[in-house]
Amino acid sequence: MLYSRITYSVRLDSVCSETFNSLIGILAGDPASPQLWNLYMSDFDPPSHVADITLSGISIANTEQADDMALFSTDALAVQGKMNYVYKWGAKKFLQIHKVKTVGMAYHLKPSQPLPIITLAGTPLSWVSTYTYVGVTFSNIGKNIFAKHYDEKSRKARCVAGATLGLESYIGVVPPKQGKQLYMARIDPHLTFGCEVVIDVQNSGLKQLQNVQHTYIRRMLRLNPRSMRAILHTETGIMPIAYRRVLLALKYLIYLTSLPNNHYARCALQEAINLSENSAQSWYTELVQAIEKLQERAKINVTLPVLSGQMSNQEILDLIKAIEHMCDAYLQVLIDKSPKTELLRGRLERDDKGNYIVKTMHFRHYLYVKIPRHWMALTGLLLSDNILAMEQLRRATRNRPRYPQHLRICRLCKNDIEDPIHALFVCIGSEQLISLRKQFIKDLISKASYLKTSQCMANPKELFECIYADKRLVETLARYAFRMLKIFNAVPLFLPDLPDHLSDTDAENSSDESD
């Protein structure tokens, strides 16, 4: 180390402790540590070689992240020369090179071509097919060098998600708001790690990350594994991971373009742009392809600015905004088209100025309901994940066929389709339900007197929209939804006889069932 003895004192506000000595060098977290390490490494300069990698004319043969070093070249003799230099330099600096951790990776070798022998102080290095450097896992197996990175990050994200959800066995139900905070703090970092350089050009890797995101949000909202994916984002404000990763990469591009021309990262960007302009694969090419894939998946008529190497930072910002709008439009189309999301259409949310606007992705106010059983009941009604016939008879099970929409009859009154609006405001098949509904209306009027004379009272759908829009009434609505569902759950589903001419296939292909 540079110093054998350093004196420290701990300060809390204006109170300082007595001084004490560190006899083992710089303590972790010391502000002086990075500067002193840079001074320690300032004379590290491995020999260059004509076979070294060049970016925009600048030779880059090594990188260092603190004491993690990477040496690379296109020639085995050049690599051996650098290894010899590292060993001799470390000996002078009293730096011990860990031989077991020092390994080699080779790319683009022919199957019949033997691996070269590279030694460190006479000890041959081991050759590996996968290695993690600065958190990014590289692999020389297959065409995608980042395939193992997706495997590793999705695995870690899945483990963290499982541990987070497992908290409920100790502390009870985690409210959705806190569930989202835990997601952004503990899971999202794994799903987005390295997205600035690892671009999603292959669906297989991206799908692993999407599965973790979808599974966590469904568990957070208490939805079944077959629930619509769009509502996971529209109700929580969590952006689809495919869009989020591309947007972060574009923001990284803005950072790169702001660097001086001799900065290594800026040189790498320019090299990627040059390769792209020559129709060769590069980081820049993959970023363009990832944006094009987002457009293809959206299947909506939207025109995005074309990413080019000559774009200014403002133009890239405009592209980011256009992709955000495309994401909103894509999700909104899914909400507007699906028969499952009738209660989610036409909703307005307040902006920062207090004006009512459409927010496709937003953390909805009904998720703030305090009693878990109540917000779960209301969430299930809104997101088509409940015990009512409209949802339960939507698909076939082992014991019953799938029923078309017009035959999903109310189990209590047997007069109409058993959907949320009917169950909440229309059904008169149960005295208990009628009594519960009267008390519910009374409670509403006591909290929002304008409802007593409002025209919406005559229209069940409009009444629901009025109640939902008033945040003061959401607790009352959620409590009523829970009690109403309890009444329905006590009675078995009504299963009318299916007409002979109506086959399961006909019901399966019914146009009103698409997601």
Side-chain angles (χ1 to χ4, degrees):
M1 300 299 298
L2 294 179
Y3 298 94
S4 60
R5 180 172 176 175
I6 302 177
T7 301
Y8 286 92
S9 176
V10 178
R11 185 179 70 181
L12 177 62
D13 296 330
S14 59
V15 181
C16 294
S17 71
E18 295 182 359
T19 59
F20 60 93
N21 296 326
S22 169
L23 304 180
I24 56 173
I26 300 171
L27 296 182
D30 191 317
S33 179
Q35 289 81 359
L36 292 176
W37 179 258
N38 288 340
L39 289 173
Y40 181 79
M41 292 287 295
S42 60
D43 63 343
F44 182 74
D45 186 21
S48 59
H49 193 277
V50 293
D52 288 347
I53 305 296
T54 59
L55 298 176
S56 296
I58 298 179
S59 176
I60 302 178
N62 57 283
T63 60
E64 293 79 39
Q65 177 72 14
D67 58 346
D68 291 331
M69 301 179 182
L71 307 172
F72 33 85
S73 183
T74 60
D75 183 82
L77 292 177
V79 174
Q80 183 61 68
K82 299 177 193 302
M83 293 299 299
N84 295 339
Y85 172 84
V86 169
Y87 182 75
K88 293 178 181 178
W89 178 86
K92 294 179 181 179
K93 292 278 191 170
F94 302 100
L95 182 70
Q96 183 176 2
I97 309 298
H98 202 300
K99 296 181 181 180
V100 175
K101 290 185 177 180
T102 305
V103 296
M105 285 186 70
Y107 287 91
H108 303 300
L109 287 180
K110 297 178 180 179
S112 59
Q113 186 176 354
L115 289 169
I117 297 176
I118 306 295
T119 61
L120 176 63
T123 302
L125 300 185
S126 300
W127 290 93
V128 296
S129 58
T130 301
Y131 193 77
T132 300
Y133 181 69
V134 198
V136 178
T137 302
F138 299 84
S139 174
N140 59 11
I141 302 174
K143 295 181 179 180
N144 187 357
I145 65 172
F146 298 119
K148 296 296 182 181
H149 179 78
Y150 285 102
D151 294 342
E152 185 65 16
K153 288 305 171 184
S154 62
R155 183 190 65 81
K156 288 185 176 180
R158 192 177 300 108
C159 290
V160 174
T164 303
L165 294 168
L167 287 173
E168 296 190 344
S169 62
Y170 299 97
I171 64 175
V173 176
V174 176
K177 184 63 177 180
Q178 284 66 43
K180 178 181 177 180
Q181 291 174 334
L182 289 170
Y183 169 85
M184 297 304 300
R186 303 297 299 161
I187 301 168
D188 182 76
H190 288 292
L191 299 181
T192 59
F193 189 93
C195 66
E196 302 91 343
V197 293
V198 183
I199 307 300
D200 304 321
V201 291
Q202 294 187 5
N203 293 334
S204 57
L206 178 61
K207 188 173 179 58
Q208 295 180 70
L209 307 180
Q210 290 173 324
N211 287 340
V212 176
Q213 184 186 55
H214 295 159
T215 300
Y216 180 86
I217 301 177
R218 280 177 173 137
R219 289 279 302 278
M220 183 181 80
L221 297 180
R222 298 307 191 279
L223 299 177
N224 72 78
R226 298 185 63 177
S227 64
M228 285 183 62
R229 291 186 290 270
I231 59 177
L232 306 180
H233 310 291
T234 61
E235 304 308 291
T236 63
I238 298 175
M239 178 174 284
I241 195 65
Y243 286 87
R244 177 158 169 75
R245 287 173 61 88
V246 167
L247 292 178
L248 289 174
L250 286 172
K251 291 176 181 179
Y252 180 61
L253 175 60
I254 293 177
Y255 163 74
L256 293 178
T257 57
S258 65
L259 296 174
N261 291 334
N262 61 346
H263 194 287
Y264 285 174
R266 185 69 174 84
C267 293
L269 170 62
Q270 190 57 52
E271 190 72 22
I273 293 174
N274 294 339
L275 289 170
S276 178
E277 291 175 347
N278 292 321
S279 301
Q281 197 73 4
S282 70
W283 175 86
Y284 202 83
T285 307
E286 292 181 347
L287 183 55
V288 173
Q289 292 172 348
I291 295 174
E292 291 174 348
K293 284 193 173 186
L294 289 182
Q295 287 181 280
E296 293 174 3
R297 292 192 193 103
K299 296 180 181 179
I300 57 177
N301 187 17
V302 60
T303 302
L304 297 178
V306 179
L307 186 64
S308 69
Q310 310 303 322
M311 292 182 76
S312 65
N313 284 354
Q314 184 58 51
E315 289 173 323
I316 299 175
L317 285 173
D318 292 340
L319 175 59
I320 290 175
K321 291 180 180 178
I323 293 176
E324 290 173 343
H325 292 156
M326 181 179 69
C327 180
D328 284 345
Y330 167 61
L331 294 174
Q332 192 62 53
V333 166
L334 295 177
I335 295 298
D336 293 340
K337 287 175 58 178
S338 174
K340 296 182 178 182
T341 54
E342 183 179 358
L343 299 180
L344 306 183
R345 298 169 195 159
R347 296 177 299 178
L348 298 176
E349 304 286 347
R350 285 184 181 271
D351 62 8
D352 296 337
K353 299 180 180 179
N355 300 320
Y356 283 99
I357 61 172
V358 175
K359 288 186 178 181
T360 303
M361 284 191 295
H362 186 67
F363 190 85
R364 307 297 174 179
H365 64 273
Y366 66 83
L367 295 176
Y368 285 103
V369 173
K370 296 178 182 178
I371 300 177
R373 293 183 301 176
H374 294 178
W375 69 254
M376 290 178 196
L378 182 55
T379 300
L381 283 181
L382 290 167
L383 307 185
S384 292
D385 192 357
N386 51 70
I387 63 165
L388 299 180
M390 186 64 172
E391 182 60 31
Q392 292 300 313
L393 301 182
R394 189 183 298 277
R395 57 182 61 89
T397 66
R398 181 178 299 178
N399 300 320
R400 66 169 182 261
R402 179 177 184 173
Y403 280 73
Q405 180 172 315
H406 70 279
L407 290 180
R408 300 170 196 171
I409 306 300
C410 177
R411 72 190 78 183
L412 298 182
C413 68
K414 299 180 177 61
N415 291 328
D416 205 348
I417 297 174
E418 187 179 289
D419 61 11
I421 297 298
H422 172 82
L424 287 169
F425 303 112
V426 179
C427 182
I428 55 174
S430 166
E431 290 295 331
Q432 185 181 4
L433 178 60
I434 294 173
S435 176
L436 180 65
R437 185 181 298 131
K438 287 180 180 179
Q439 184 60 47
F440 168 62
I441 297 298
K442 184 178 178 180
D443 293 342
L444 290 178
I445 294 175
S446 67
K447 295 180 180 180
S449 57
Y450 67 87
L451 288 175
K452 190 173 183 178
T453 58
S454 175
Q455 295 181 354
C456 70
M457 294 294 289
N459 186 309
K461 182 66 165 34
E462 291 182 7
L463 177 59
F464 176 82
E465 293 174 352
C466 288
I467 298 172
Y468 174 86
D470 194 332
K471 295 182 180 180
R472 298 173 299 171
L473 307 177
V474 65
E475 295 275 358
T476 304
L477 177 61
R479 181 174 63 250
Y480 172 54
F482 169 72
R483 294 175 177 175
M484 176 273 292
L485 289 173
K486 195 173 181 180
I487 294 173
F488 273 82
N489 196 39
V491 180
L493 282 166
F494 176 61
L495 302 176
D497 294 332
L498 283 173
D500 294 336
H501 68 278
L502 186 60
S503 66
D504 290 348
T505 304
D506 293 333
E508 185 70 27
N509 294 331
S510 180
S511 61
D512 70 324
E513 302 301 332
S514 62
D515 286 346

